[in-house]
Amino acid sequence: MEISAVPTEVCTLHPESTLGKLYLDWMPQPGNYINLEGKTYVILERRHRYQFRRGKYNLFRVLVYVQPAPENLERSLVNGRWIIGDGSCRYNAGSEIIRCAVNPNGPCQGCRFWEA
């Protein structure tokens, strides 16, 4: 399935408000990052809106719920996906949302628990 530019509405949950609308040529997934008006946000949730036309439902719009990404965002590319923190550390969670159990707020550099 080829994805053309999908109209995407970017919203926050708490407080609930719309940050803006844009067209994306990729399907946003929870854990991905999105830049809007010079600020970086992490996607928490994605919802689809469909419209019934010519006897079938078509994707009409995507809503993404976001929260501001931390300023000191450390990321590593591991197995083709971005994770938070140093991917070579033994305690890294390997997640797009949480860094690790022993030092979830980071940073990884200078952490006393860091192990290869």
Side-chain angles (χ1 to χ4, degrees):
M1 179 177 144
E2 186 176 313
I3 298 175
S4 60
V6 178
T8 306
E9 188 172 337
V10 181
C11 305
T12 59
L13 285 172
H14 301 288
E16 190 169 336
S17 66
T18 300
L19 297 175
K21 297 177 183 177
L22 48 101
Y23 287 84
L24 298 176
D25 60 352
W26 54 280
M27 187 58 69
Q29 299 290 332
N32 289 144
Y33 295 91
I34 192 168
N35 291 317
L36 184 67
E37 298 175 1
K39 294 183 181 177
T40 303
Y41 298 92
V42 63
I43 297 173
L44 302 175
E45 185 177 334
R46 177 187 75 199
R47 294 184 184 173
H48 299 145
R49 298 288 185 250
Y50 293 92
Q51 194 172 49
F52 190 75
R53 282 190 179 172
R54 297 181 185 153
K56 66 178 184 175
Y57 286 97
N58 296 303
L59 181 62
F60 175 66
R61 179 178 24 177
V62 174
L63 275 72
V64 292
Y65 291 96
V66 298
Q67 74 179 18
E71 294 290 325
N72 59 350
L73 186 63
E74 296 177 85
R75 298 190 310 174
S76 302
L77 186 63
V78 176
N79 296 329
R81 62 188 191 110
W82 288 100
I83 63 168
I84 295 179
D86 185 354
S88 63
C89 178
R90 174 181 175 191
Y91 297 109
N92 189 289
S95 168
E96 299 94 347
I97 299 171
I98 188 168
R99 181 185 316 267
C100 70
V102 294
N103 188 13
N105 295 327
C108 294
Q109 185 177 1
C111 177
R112 64 186 176 119
F113 299 106
W114 190 91
E115 285 185 32

